[in-house]
Structures are given as C-alpha cells and as structure tokens.
Amino acid sequence: MRSDTVKMGVEKAPSRGLLRAAGLEEEDFSRPFVGIANSWNEVIPGHIHLNKLVEEVKRGIVEAGGVPFTFGVPGVCDGIAMGHAGMRYALPSRETISDCVELMVQAHCFDGLVGVSNCDKITPGMIMAIGRLDVPAMMLTGGPMMEGDIEGRKLDTQSVFEVLGEYAAGKVDEKAVWEVERCACPGEGSCAGLFTANTMACLTEAMGLSLTGCGASLAISREKRQIARATGRRIVSLIKKDVRPRSIVTRKSLVNAVMVDMAIGGSTNTALHIPAIASEFGHEVDLKVFDEVSRKVPHITSLRPSGPYYMSDFSKAGGVPVVLKRLKALLSDEMTVSGKTIYEIASEARITDPEVIRPVAKPFHKEGGIAVLYGNLAPKGAVVKQTAVSEKMMKFTGVAKVFDSEEAAIAAITGRKIRAGNVVVIRNEGPKGGPGMPEMLTPTSLIVGMGLSDSVALVTDGRFSGATRGPCIGHVTPEAFDKGPIAAVKDGDKIRIDIPERKLEVLLSDAELSTRLKKAKPVDRKPKGILLKYRELVTHASEGAVCR
C-alpha cells in the first residue's frame, strides 16, 4: 500500500508516533489510509451539510476496514461572489482546489481518496486532482437544494437575480424583491436548477466517478446519506483491487459525459471544465467535440434556467440513470466506480416520468445544449447555451454597445441605456484580462428581468453562470487581453449571430479589423497575488483555462 511509506518499518517510528497522536490505534497501521477531501464551509449553502455526509463516508470506510482522514479545501460561492471583484477568484479557485488535494494526498501517502464536494469549481477541481494523482478515488457530490416557493410559484437563485431586472425596469417594487429573496433558497444544497454545480454533479456520475444516482439525489434526501455510506465502503474495495481512476475515466467516458451534458442542457461552464479534466487524465476533449456531439444528441430534459423543471423533478424522474437509458444507443459502454458498466446502469434504470426526461425521438430540442460559434469575432471559438435561446434570437444582427468591464455594463443596463436591437459586448474579462474570467449572471439576469432577452444579445470574452439564459455568448477566444478581435469592436459596429450556422461575426472588413487591432490597448488591471500568478499561467478559454 502507498501508505506503507509512512507507517511500516522501524524507521517510520516518528510518523507513526504523530499518527498515534492523531488518534490511530495499533491495528490501524495494517489498514488502507483513505483521504477525504471535504469542501464543507459555513458560507456556501451547497456545502453546509457536507460534514454530515462525510461522517457517513467515514462510517463506510471503517466498516470496510479502512482508516479515514478528513482534510479541508477552499470553496467560493459564485452567487455571493457575483457582480463584484470577488468573482475574479472563482475560476482560479478550481486550480487551487486541485493543488490542495494533490498536496494532501501526496504528502501523506493516502492509499485512496474520496472527494466530497458541491458547487461550481470545487467538483471539477477535485476531479482534476484525481486524474493527476491516479490513486483509487471516488466523488460524492452533495446534491441540489429544494426549490423555493411563493404561494405556489416556484423559485431558485436565478429568480432573485431576475427580479432585480424587473425592479430596474419599474415592474415590481422593493417589497417584491425582498419577498423573492426571502423565499428563493430554502436550505442546504446546490442551487435548485441545472446550473453549473448540478451539471457537474451529473457529469461526474456519467463519467463513472460517483455511485449510481449520486448526481441528482437531493441534499436533504435519505438516498444521499445512503450513497455517502456506500461510497465509503466502495473506496476501500477499489483500493484493495487497485482500481485507478484512469482505468475508469477514459476518453470515451469523457465523451459520454459530454453527451449527457448536451442531452440535459447543462451549463456552458462545462466547456471549460471537461477539457481541463480531460487534460489531467491524459486526454483531449476540445470544443469541436462539444459541437459534434451537440449536433447528434438531442436535448431531452428541460430544466431551469431555460425550462420549467427543477432538479427535484429530474431526481424524481430517475436522474442520470434514466438519461443513460435514453441515450444508450449513442453511449460507449464504459466501467464506473460502482463496478457496473454504463449499459448495466442504463438497463436497470426505471423511467418514472417520460415527460421530464423524454425519449430521444421526442426531444425538447433536436440539438444538444451547447453550440460552438466561430467567425472573425471568435476565431478560436465561443460558446452559447442554445437551448436557452428563443427561436427569435437564433439569428440576430444588432448594434454593438461596448464595455471594458462587467461593472460598466451593469450600470448601463440598470440605467436603461440598452435598447432593443443592441448587442452588449463586455470585454477584458477573459482568463487573463479579468483576470479570472468572471461569471456574468448579473447583466444577463437584468436583461431578462427587463424583458429584453428576445431583443438584446450579449457577447463576452468572460463566461456565464449556469443560471444564465437567453442569447448570451461567452468564452470568446482569443480574448481582448491577447488582442483578439473583440478588442477592436466599437460602439455602433454591427454584430451578426447565427447559431444554427455556428457563426459569430463583426461586420467589418479584414483590413479595418487589422488596423483597429494594431491600435487596441488591452485593459491591465495590474493584479496582485493569486490573480497575477493565474494570469501568468492560464491558457485560453478554448483550452479549458487551465494553468500550465
């Protein structure tokens, strides 16, 4: 066992002495050591219950003959960080989390690892470390919260952001904002729609790293606690059999995850996370894969933010196993940490609501959730959640209103300076330019709340929250900081968006674009600390914004 390095032989007396001080008994030194990366904290609703789940994981590990060791990792709540400088730290935290897990596992020679996580950057950060380390490992995602309710009207986090747009447009008063704020998020769990946290939880299950049913089982459910305990037992079995994550997460497993992503209409952030995860597992899954899969895998469930259903509905309908059943003919039959293959899980799945998770022949949309656009404005690609765009806006030409920061765009939107027919361009918010590539749920929600989502588009080299809906195109690459074409756009330029044809263009001649780019001066926010380090190391968004 790897842990023999710190516990076997007379020369290891010092480390054994310290481990005894941590509570180990004599018989523990012959057992597998299992690290538990726990992202519990008292800030994020999706994490406040993780200690309870960790206790179940620990019980399972002990029952199976292992020794559990819990350690913490940081976590940023994107909703709380949204709309201010704190959001620049969210995506960089993914790399920090990955590094923290690597540090703890390698320094203490754990035989295996369980990542207990929830929310946007924490889950992919842990999975990246799992791929890098390749010691027996599993994930336990903490589950969605229930949706909120006001007199029968269902709500979630997105509702709070969008009611601010209604308030800015004079449609509701401050009391209505307070009422939505008070009721939208009723308790523990990741936000109740198919935002990035729940998307990544579902894809973790689809790629084979968590037990069957883990992705959609609710935070408050008995099922989640049972899965947690079973995860503890199972990791010890994987250690004893030396089943390593790189034998589970193959390139075909990752493509399976992209297929599930397209079928459920997941967050555009997966176009950053899956390539980054693939890289750590020694594979390449680029934006072309996303678009190829999207063209052949239909959208078969319609969850918030773009649809009427919530994660609780998806869970009741059978969750990821039912999606696998629907897609079985398209998927590769890969092994999972449960010991069952994808086909076995699909065959055992029970369809309980054929409207919430439809058959492939009766989809909500013929194509999958994400489209990748190219053109003179995005030579290396840009992404849009096409299933969240109305038919009216699938093809749109509008007049650019350009902003060099999210804050400036928010001020213009709330100041009612954006009109029907505009394309809001927010630049210098990419991985390097931000730095940190902040999410932009605030401006997108304001546009929706003000009733402009069928007449105004948004284009940015930053990214969007999983809660974003409407014609919002992000990850424009190259970004403005690297003198990408978005740096040359001016107020009044016409921008053409054609999602069916996968086009994103500014209607300028090549000569004019080239002349402008020579004069363009990227915004340098002169970052310090972790943001400076991130800017120096981070790659393009089209490569997953990984640090190298």
Side-chain angles (χ1 to χ4, degrees):
M1 290 188 290
R2 285 179 91 244
S3 58
D4 288 353
T5 304
V6 297
K7 68 186 183 186
M8 291 299 175
V10 66
E11 69 276 8
K12 298 302 177 184
S15 54
R16 283 197 303 274
L18 291 166
L19 288 166
R20 291 179 196 276
L24 268 64
E25 302 291 344
E26 191 64 41
E27 58 269 24
D28 291 329
F29 293 109
S30 62
R31 296 170 177 166
F33 284 7
V34 185
I36 304 173
N38 179 10
S39 60
W40 171 88
N41 60 57
E42 293 182 330
V43 181
I44 309 176
H47 293 224
I48 56 175
H49 65 302
L50 294 186
N51 276 350
K52 298 174 187 176
L53 297 180
V54 166
E55 287 304 311
E56 294 297 330
V57 174
K58 289 167 69 176
R59 288 189 183 98
I61 290 169
V62 171
E63 288 169 356
V67 183
F69 295 85
T70 305
F71 61 89
V73 300
V76 172
C77 180
D78 286 23
I80 297 172
M82 197 74 65
H84 60 88
M87 179 45 71
R88 303 189 193 285
Y89 291 84
L91 187 58
S93 77
R94 185 188 71 180
E95 318 305 308
T96 300
I97 290 159
S98 185
D99 291 347
C100 286
V101 174
E102 178 187 359
L103 285 167
M104 292 298 291
V105 172
Q106 296 290 61
H108 302 104
C109 297
F110 294 135
D111 298 301
L113 170 70
V114 176
V116 181
S117 166
N118 228 4
C119 299
D120 294 21
K121 313 308 168 299
I122 301 92
T123 297
M126 288 190 184
I127 298 174
M128 288 165 66
I130 285 171
R132 191 184 305 167
L133 293 163
D134 200 33
V135 301
M138 297 176 67
M139 288 294 298
L140 173 71
T141 49
M145 73 168 71
M146 287 296 294
E147 63 272 16
D149 182 274
I150 297 178
E151 298 178 352
R153 178 165 66 101
K154 292 185 176 182
L155 306 164
D156 57 26
T157 310
Q158 179 187 3
S159 307
V160 190
F161 281 91
E162 291 186 359
V163 77
L164 289 176
E166 296 177 38
Y167 176 73
K171 297 178 181 179
V172 299
D173 59 16
E174 191 172 340
K175 182 182 178 183
V177 174
W178 178 84
E179 191 73 8
V180 172
E181 169 200 329
R182 188 179 64 84
C183 298
C185 303
E188 62 199 48
S190 49
C191 299
L194 188 66
F195 312 141
T196 309
N198 293 323
T199 301
M200 284 309 305
C202 290
L203 301 195
T204 300
E205 183 179 340
M207 71 178 72
L209 278 180
S210 60
L211 292 181
T212 305
C214 185
S217 53
L218 298 176
I220 61 173
S221 67
R222 182 168 177 260
E223 180 187 9
K224 182 64 75 179
R225 296 193 299 274
Q226 291 172 329
I227 290 171
R229 195 156 182 172
T231 297
R233 292 193 294 267
R234 184 62 185 163
I235 187 60
V236 177
S237 176
L238 294 179
I239 291 168
K240 290 177 178 177
K241 295 176 182 178
D242 195 29
V243 177
R244 296 173 183 254
R246 287 194 175 199
S247 69
I248 300 289
V249 181
T250 63
R251 189 176 187 280
K252 289 181 179 179
S253 303
L254 292 160
V255 174
N256 279 349
V258 176
M259 287 188 179
V260 170
D261 187 16
M262 297 304 107
I264 63 178
S267 165
T268 53
N269 281 315
T270 60
L272 294 171
H273 297 327
I274 295 297
I277 289 167
S279 177
E280 295 289 3
F281 276 87
H283 304 293
E284 183 179 354
V285 177
D286 58 18
L287 291 182
K288 290 181 181 178
V289 174
F290 277 75
D291 202 51
E292 288 168 4
V293 169
S294 183
R295 289 177 186 272
K296 68 180 181 181
V297 176
H299 179 222
I300 60 173
T301 185
S302 190
L303 306 176
R304 290 276 287 171
S306 54
Y309 301 117
Y310 290 79
M311 286 303 295
S312 61
D313 301 309
F314 183 66
S315 180
K316 290 173 189 173
V320 173
V322 170
V323 176
L324 299 179
K325 192 179 193 76
R326 297 296 202 195
L327 299 181
K328 186 177 177 183
L330 297 169
L331 297 168
S332 177
D333 191 21
E334 302 301 301
M335 183 54 70
T336 73
V337 290
S338 69
K340 296 179 180 180
T341 69
I342 291 293
Y343 283 9
E344 288 173 323
I345 293 167
S347 296
E348 293 171 4
R350 214 162 48 88
I351 299 167
T352 58
D353 192 330
E355 177 56 26
V356 172
I357 306 176
R358 290 183 178 181
V360 168
K362 187 191 171 186
F364 287 92
H365 298 92
K366 291 181 180 179
E367 292 190 351
I370 292 174
V372 181
L373 312 184
Y374 295 93
N376 69 351
L377 194 51
K380 293 188 177 181
V383 299
V384 61
K385 186 189 282 192
Q386 62 174 339
T387 50
V389 180
S390 74
E391 283 297 321
K392 296 177 183 177
M393 296 296 287
M394 294 296 281
K395 294 186 177 185
F396 177 72
T397 299
V399 177
K401 295 283 286 185
V402 183
F403 305 94
D404 283 317
S405 71
E406 180 188 11
E407 293 82 359
I410 291 170
I413 296 166
T414 56
R416 304 193 192 188
K417 295 179 181 178
I418 302 302
R419 302 280 185 266
N422 285 157
V423 178
V424 176
V425 177
I426 306 176
R427 63 190 180 195
N428 293 295
E429 296 287 19
K432 296 179 183 179
M437 203 180 185
E439 284 185 351
M440 299 189 193
L441 180 56
T442 302
T444 60
S445 296
L446 289 170
I447 287 170
V448 171
M450 295 175 79
L452 296 172
S453 63
D454 282 349
S455 58
V456 169
L458 194 153
V459 174
T460 181
D461 54 8
R463 61 192 179 90
F464 298 116
S465 164
T468 295
R469 60 188 173 115
C472 301
I473 299 165
H475 307 200
V476 170
T477 310
E479 61 176 290
F481 190 83
D482 285 333
K483 284 204 168 187
I486 194 171
V489 179
K490 295 180 179 179
D491 283 351
D493 288 342
K494 287 190 176 180
I495 292 175
R496 182 165 61 208
I497 299 163
D498 190 332
I499 294 173
E501 294 297 322
R502 305 303 200 253
K503 292 291 185 182
L504 177 63
E505 299 171 320
V506 57
L507 301 185
L508 297 173
S509 68
D510 291 345
E512 175 64 16
L513 200 53
S514 177
T515 298
R516 288 192 192 180
L517 281 175
K518 289 175 183 176
K519 299 176 182 178
K521 292 183 179 180
V523 173
D524 184 356
R525 296 191 170 92
K526 301 190 182 303
K528 299 178 181 178
I530 191 171
L531 293 183
L532 176 59
K533 180 170 69 172
Y534 185 78
R535 189 174 75 181
E536 294 298 316
L537 299 176
V538 73
T539 61
H540 296 300
S542 60
E543 299 173 11
V546 295
C547 288
R548 294 199 176 107

